[in-house]
Amino acid sequence: MKTTIQDSELWAPQGTIAAGRLQGLRTALDQINWPLALLVLACVALRVWLISFTPLDPRFSNADDGDYYQRALRLAVTGQYVDDAWLIRPPLHVFFFALWLRLALLLGVPQLGVLFVQLAQTGLAALTVLVGHAAARRLFASERAGLLFAAFLALWYPFVESASVLFTELIYLFLFLVHVWLLLRFDGTGRLRDLALSGLALGAAALTRSPALYAAAFVVLWLVVRGWAQGRGPRTADHEPRSGRADHVRRWTEVLRQSIVFGACVLAVVGPWTLRNYLTYGHLIPVDTLGQINLWLDLDRVSDRVKNIETLRALPQSERHLYALARAREILAEDPWRPFRPMWDTFRHIWKAQYVEDYYVKQSFFTRPLRETAPLGLAGDVLWLAGTVAGLWGLGGRVREGWHNRLFFLAWVGYSLVTVLLFHVEPRYLLPLWTLFALYGAGVLATLARDRRPTTTDERLNAPRSGRSPSVPGLWSLVIRPWYLIQFSLVLIFLWLLLSYRDYPAIIAMGAARERGMVAGERAYAGGDYQGAEAGFREALVAQPRFVDAQVSLALALAAQGRHEEAAAALDRNSSRRTELAYGAIARDTGDTETARALLTRFEAIAGEDVQRWALEWLRPPAVQGVRLGDGLDLGYIWGFSAGERDASGPFRWLEGAGRVVLPLREPLEQGATVELRLTGGRPGVTPLQVRVGGGPWQRVDVAGGEWRVYRVAVPAELAGQRRLAVELDAPTFVPARENPESSDARALSLMVSEVRVQ
């Protein structure tokens, strides 16, 4: 009689079943790559940690991240993609951001949209670690190389930071590494499917950063060299046999077919967007107009940049790139060497210690949390140094991975350098360069680790008798092995560029003294010891006199003591956005309300961070009994509100879900005091508002829509005598553009607040 599986399990002893399942679990656990799994966990943990306290916020930025956010928000809410900034941009990252903003809208938490994007980018970073590991392992046939490259992708600070900001680099590098990994898979398997997928990945990368489109030529070069290498073999003295010629024709026909397939896949991704641009603007624009415009702006005088941008904004979108290209050609016709004049200085600026430059050299942190992340960032510079040195050694050394691969990566290195040299250096533009160096550095370091493994007795007996380690080249090796000479030269040139650019010991010593003063000053300021804070910030400025963040902090400490003239004099105007905010707050405190309104209103919108949160922590505004929201003078009293607006009854702000109003009072609270809220709902009907005064119980207020009314909430009796009152507000949100097809307002809003006053 046949016994079924079910019968066997039914009659088997329970202990046998349990043992089998336990063995299966152990087998599954043994198959996990635990070092790689730990690197992925570290990748996610570090990025979530940084996201939890970063002040950067694209909602308040007029830079690239703000433009990406506004385009993505409009797309998420209305389904429309509009090039409303001063250039036509690649769209793929905007669609990625819009996907997660849309998800936040569907879940009813639109105020968490940016957080959703950041967490999605964290997941993408984890995938990047996995893809990087696979690519390095294939390129160098080494698991150790894969783990070392994965560690660089997981732990290096610029990659950690990229998950917290809404820029293109993280998505672009992920797609680039997928493209590389698939190329290497095709190299090993010969499956045309892998080559086609690699073309799709490069096309997607081009829709994130357009220079990737023109790098498709590198893949064609890769295919040609690969085909040539596969066809090398012994030949006769006179001519190749007929069968050899047939193989030759077949091989190059196959290379041509592969190139066509790859190019077709790239165009399949980029083509629809190019067609959209042509139908919309009437010009052939493969991806974007960033190159032509940046070329003109970088060739022209820096002093004319603002005027040039204003000129572009006045033109129709379809004509801006043509105008910029014409102006660039005029400059080059007058001075053909113009792009190359600052090239040496730009080239030297590339080879700097990345985090040390930001933390110790720059005049401001520009709202980045560099102090909190200093241990990770400074350790990352050591990681970057090791990866770059090893990468240069590997790229200049003997070719073991195949000439087609070596030339491919050298082409990318050269391309990355040229694009930066022709335009301008930004740290994020250099990330592809350091990624390539780190990839080859992982291969070199993996080889060194393998060479240093313990040797057996037989290996020691058969080792060379020269007395030198085979892995360390001697002088004679430099003569007979020119690779070593190239490698040493590249490393020495890099180290000279790095060490000659900055006096790093002096810079680090100066920065350490500055940071001691800043930390002491901020601790004293938070505790209300403004004289102690002044002393700490002055100490920081002695160490680094032009450090803008210390100037702002010193000005605020002086203003808190009532020394407003000294506070204004401590600021270097136009040096940062926080400088202008501090100057505006000082103007408000001294009665210059016109200057204060202009500065506080403008820089709240473009500071790149949640200014209301910063102002509530750092500003010490005058004592009041009430505050008018939206009048341009309310920063330092409020948090959780949109930008100021005005209707027929006066200024107001929209509450964005949860908000807070903090009033330093001129008079102590009396028994029976009330808080008066002048409100109106944003929609017909009633909006339920939860109010909490001074940490007391939550109280519900039903706010009617369509009319301004004053609502009163009792102040808890136990708060009598206090001179500071916090009022917390919480109400459900809606998105106007989702409820009214004629609206383009994609914000998440609750209700309108005009005034909060204590009576």
Side-chain angles (χ1 to χ4, degrees):
M1 183 180 74
K2 293 184 179 180
T3 303
T4 65
I5 294 176
Q6 289 81 2
D7 292 335
S8 300
E9 291 181 350
L10 179 65
W11 292 105
Q14 294 298 315
T16 304
I17 296 174
R21 291 175 178 172
L22 182 60
Q23 182 61 37
L25 177 61
R26 288 175 177 172
T27 302
L29 292 175
D30 289 341
Q31 292 176 348
I32 295 176
N33 187 333
W34 286 107
L36 181 60
L38 291 175
L39 286 173
V40 171
L41 289 175
C43 164
V44 173
L46 287 173
R47 285 152 179 80
V48 171
W49 166 71
L50 180 57
I51 289 168
S52 68
F53 60 83
T54 182
L56 297 171
D57 195 324
R59 294 176 298 172
F60 309 105
S61 174
N62 65 339
D64 288 350
D65 55 341
D67 182 26
Y68 300 152
Y69 173 79
Q70 294 299 332
R71 294 183 189 221
L73 183 61
R74 182 188 295 107
L75 179 61
V77 173
T78 67
Q80 298 178 348
Y81 183 95
V82 180
D83 293 308
D84 58 345
W86 56 284
L87 44 76
I88 300 169
R89 292 188 182 275
L92 189 62
H93 52 287
V94 174
F95 280 78
F96 178 82
F97 299 154
L99 171 66
W100 301 102
L101 295 177
R102 178 70 176 178
L103 178 62
L105 285 170
L106 294 176
L107 294 178
V109 286
Q111 63 273 21
L112 298 181
V114 173
L115 177 61
F116 277 31
V117 174
Q118 292 170 325
L119 294 178
Q121 290 190 132
T122 298
L124 196 64
L127 292 177
T128 303
V129 171
L130 295 174
V131 173
H133 167 266
R137 186 178 60 179
R138 276 194 169 271
L139 180 62
F140 300 109
S142 168
E143 171 66 16
R144 188 177 285 109
L147 290 174
L148 287 170
F149 187 51
F152 184 82
L153 296 173
L155 305 178
W156 192 40
Y157 179 76
F159 290 152
V160 175
E161 187 181 37
S162 64
S164 66
V165 295
L166 271 63
F167 287 117
T168 63
E169 277 64 34
L170 191 150
I171 301 173
Y172 172 73
L173 287 173
F174 168 73
L175 293 169
F176 169 70
L177 287 175
V178 169
H179 159 66
V180 169
W181 170 59
L182 289 167
L183 268 187
L184 295 173
R185 274 174 59 94
F186 167 73
D187 193 26
T189 64
R191 290 196 300 259
L192 205 59
R193 177 185 63 191
D194 291 330
L195 182 64
L197 291 173
S198 178
L200 295 176
L202 186 64
L207 288 186
T208 305
R209 288 189 64 187
S210 57
L213 176 63
Y214 313 107
F218 301 159
V219 178
V220 176
L221 171 67
W222 183 84
L223 290 169
V224 169
V225 177
R226 178 177 179 269
W228 168 78
Q230 289 177 343
R232 284 188 304 171
R235 300 187 182 189
T236 62
D238 298 329
H239 62 277
E240 194 176 29
R242 182 176 299 274
S243 60
R245 286 196 299 270
D247 289 341
H248 180 81
V249 171
R250 185 164 50 251
R251 184 171 61 256
W252 291 111
T253 301
E254 182 65 15
V255 169
L256 178 61
R257 184 170 76 96
Q258 293 166 356
S259 301
I260 292 173
V261 168
F262 178 83
C265 289
V266 173
L267 293 178
V269 178
V270 177
W273 179 252
T274 305
L275 179 62
R276 174 262 185 190
N277 288 339
Y278 184 80
L279 295 177
T280 303
Y281 301 112
H283 299 288
L284 181 62
I285 304 171
V287 178
D288 60 18
T289 57
L290 184 63
Q292 302 95 314
I293 292 174
N294 270 348
L295 179 62
W296 174 42
L297 295 179
D298 285 316
L299 287 175
D300 212 350
R301 292 185 297 271
V302 175
S303 59
D304 291 336
R305 179 178 290 265
V306 173
K307 181 184 69 175
N308 293 341
I309 292 176
E310 291 175 352
T311 300
L312 285 174
R313 290 187 186 278
L315 296 172
Q317 180 67 267
S318 60
E319 305 298 328
R320 293 175 186 175
H321 67 291
L322 300 176
Y323 180 86
L325 186 60
R327 300 290 79 72
R329 286 172 174 167
E330 289 177 4
I331 295 172
L332 291 175
E334 295 176 3
D335 183 5
W337 296 101
R338 178 71 181 88
F340 306 100
R341 297 191 189 284
M343 190 168 286
W344 174 242
D345 292 336
T346 304
F347 182 74
R348 291 191 64 202
H349 189 58
I350 292 173
W351 313 98
K352 59 186 181 298
Q354 307 297 297
Y355 196 88
V356 169
E357 185 81 12
D358 290 338
Y359 189 45
Y360 291 126
V361 178
K362 287 190 176 179
Q363 297 180 14
S364 172
F365 289 172
F366 299 108
T367 71
R368 295 169 65 198
L370 296 180
R371 182 172 297 116
E372 296 84 348
T373 58
L376 178 65
L378 295 173
D381 268 4
V382 177
L383 188 65
W384 165 81
L385 179 61
T388 302
V389 169
L392 288 167
W393 183 271
L395 282 167
R398 182 179 175 185
V399 178
R400 302 177 186 275
E401 73 282 11
W403 269 108
H404 56 303
N405 290 324
R406 176 65 59 86
L407 291 175
F408 175 77
F409 287 109
L410 285 175
W412 264 106
V413 167
Y415 189 40
S416 301
L417 282 172
V418 168
T419 53
V420 171
L421 289 173
L422 286 180
F423 296 103
H424 54 278
V425 177
E426 284 191 31
R428 59 193 180 99
Y429 294 166
L430 294 170
L431 291 182
L433 182 66
W434 309 133
T435 301
L436 294 168
F437 286 152
L439 174 62
Y440 266 80
V444 170
L445 294 174
T447 302
L448 292 177
R450 186 168 63 247
D451 290 345
R452 292 170 181 267
R453 73 189 190 283
T455 56
T456 64
T457 302
D458 291 341
E459 287 175 329
R460 287 195 297 271
L461 290 175
N462 294 324
R465 302 290 184 179
S466 63
R468 291 193 306 268
S469 169
S471 62
V472 179
L475 293 177
W476 178 244
S477 298
L478 297 178
V479 177
I480 64 173
R481 298 181 182 177
W483 293 118
Y484 286 141
L485 183 60
I486 296 172
Q487 289 171 300
F488 273 119
S489 299
L490 288 174
V491 170
L492 289 176
I493 290 172
F494 164 69
L495 292 176
W496 173 75
L497 288 168
L498 173 70
L499 298 177
S500 65
Y501 189 66
R502 301 286 187 201
D503 184 355
Y504 286 105
I507 285 173
I508 293 173
M510 174 272 295
R514 181 204 71 198
E515 284 302 289
R516 286 193 296 269
M518 289 295 297
V519 170
E522 290 178 1
R523 186 182 299 116
Y525 191 88
D529 178 9
Y530 301 122
Q531 291 183 346
E534 176 190 349
F537 297 137
R538 289 193 185 279
E539 179 185 342
L541 285 171
V542 169
Q544 188 175 349
R546 299 189 63 186
F547 189 56
V548 172
D549 295 0
Q551 294 173 356
V552 171
S553 299
L554 174 62
L556 295 177
L558 292 170
Q561 300 174 60
R563 297 154 60 185
H564 295 100
E565 290 186 6
E566 294 179 65
L571 295 171
D572 182 12
R573 295 294 307 279
N574 300 312
S575 56
S576 78
R577 289 160 180 162
R578 283 186 180 177
T579 298
E580 298 307 292
L581 288 166
Y583 192 87
I586 294 168
R588 176 188 60 188
D589 297 349
T590 56
D592 186 359
T593 56
E594 183 177 350
T595 298
R597 282 194 178 95
L599 290 176
L600 295 177
T601 301
R602 178 189 175 197
F603 286 95
E604 178 188 1
I606 66 172
E609 63 175 325
D610 187 344
V611 167
Q612 293 177 24
R613 186 185 297 276
W614 173 83
L616 203 59
E617 178 183 359
W618 278 93
L619 299 186
R620 300 296 184 262
V624 293
Q625 292 303 114
V627 61
R628 293 289 302 274
L629 277 71
D631 67 348
L633 303 176
D634 54 3
L635 285 182
Y637 300 103
I638 63 171
W639 172 79
F641 296 86
S642 68
E645 299 179 45
R646 180 177 291 273
D647 66 4
S649 66
F652 68 91
R653 285 181 185 261
W654 282 95
L655 175 67
E656 296 182 327
R660 184 179 176 89
V661 178
V662 179
L663 301 176
L665 301 173
R666 287 197 296 261
E667 303 291 338
L669 283 169
E670 299 178 355
Q671 289 285 350
T674 60
V675 173
E676 294 184 349
L677 304 165
R678 187 170 184 268
L679 311 169
T680 184
R683 292 180 288 181
V686 172
T687 300
L689 170 66
Q690 297 292 330
V691 183
R692 184 163 67 174
V693 180
W698 286 98
Q699 305 176 57
R700 174 168 171 156
V701 176
D702 290 330
V703 181
E707 60 177 339
W708 286 99
R709 292 178 55 187
V710 175
Y711 299 83
R712 293 178 175 84
V713 179
V715 175
E718 60 269 20
L719 298 179
Q722 293 193 13
R723 303 192 68 126
R724 187 175 184 272
L725 185 65
V727 181
E728 297 174 72
L729 310 173
D730 195 346
T733 61
F734 73 100
V735 179
R738 296 192 67 193
E739 300 192 356
N740 181 4
E742 297 180 359
S743 174
S744 60
D745 190 346
R747 296 174 297 171
L749 307 174
S750 296
L751 45 80
M752 293 180 275
V753 184
S754 173
E755 188 172 6
V756 178
R757 179 170 296 277
V758 175
Q759 290 286 2

